[in-house]
């Protein structure tokens, strides 16, 4: 269900404690199960660089998307596209 949460804003996680704890729990359970049964899921345990990339890439992608969304080009895209 949509509970208007953002993982980047801690106050929304605190407001929706049940949904956020269920989400965090499911992510942790998924990672643990994959690491416990590597042959079933055809995965290997990541090395130090792999863990850094797994944590860093989603965070950096979020900030890059925010930078793009707040850019002058995207803010005025509708106006620029309708100009003759």
């Amino acid at each position: 269900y949509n509970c208007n949460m953002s993982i980047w804003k801690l106050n929304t996680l605190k407001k929706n404690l049940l949904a956020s704890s269920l989400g965090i729990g499911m992510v942790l359970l998924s990672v643990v199960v994959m690491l416990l049964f590597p042959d079933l899921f055809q995965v290997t345990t990541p090395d130090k660089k792999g863990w850094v990339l797994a944590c860093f890439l989603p965070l950096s992608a979020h900030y890059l998307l925010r930078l793009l969304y707040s850019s002058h080009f995207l803010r005025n895209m509708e106006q620029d596209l309708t100009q003759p």
Side-chain angles (χ1 to χ4, degrees):
Y1 64 94
N2 184 7
C3 54
N4 200 15
M5 286 178 53
S6 171
I7 61 171
W8 311 109
K9 297 177 183 174
L10 291 179
N11 60 348
T12 61
L13 293 177
K14 290 177 187 175
K15 270 198 281 187
N16 304 298
L17 193 59
L18 177 64
S20 59
S21 58
L22 283 173
I24 292 169
M26 293 300 287
V27 167
L28 292 176
L29 180 67
S30 301
V31 171
V32 168
V33 168
M34 279 194 326
L35 294 176
L36 286 177
F37 303 106
D39 294 334
L40 180 65
F41 296 102
Q42 300 177 354
V43 296
T44 60
T45 306
D47 58 352
K48 190 174 184 178
K49 288 181 185 177
W51 285 114
V52 169
L53 284 175
C55 296
F56 175 74
L57 286 179
L59 294 174
S60 62
H62 169 71
Y63 287 112
L64 286 174
L65 286 173
R66 282 186 60 177
L67 179 69
L68 182 66
Y69 288 152
S70 63
S71 70
H72 177 73
F73 174 71
L74 283 182
R75 281 186 279 144
N76 297 323
M77 181 184 284
E78 184 177 342
Q79 179 183 358
D80 291 341
L81 291 176
T82 57
Q83 295 295 322

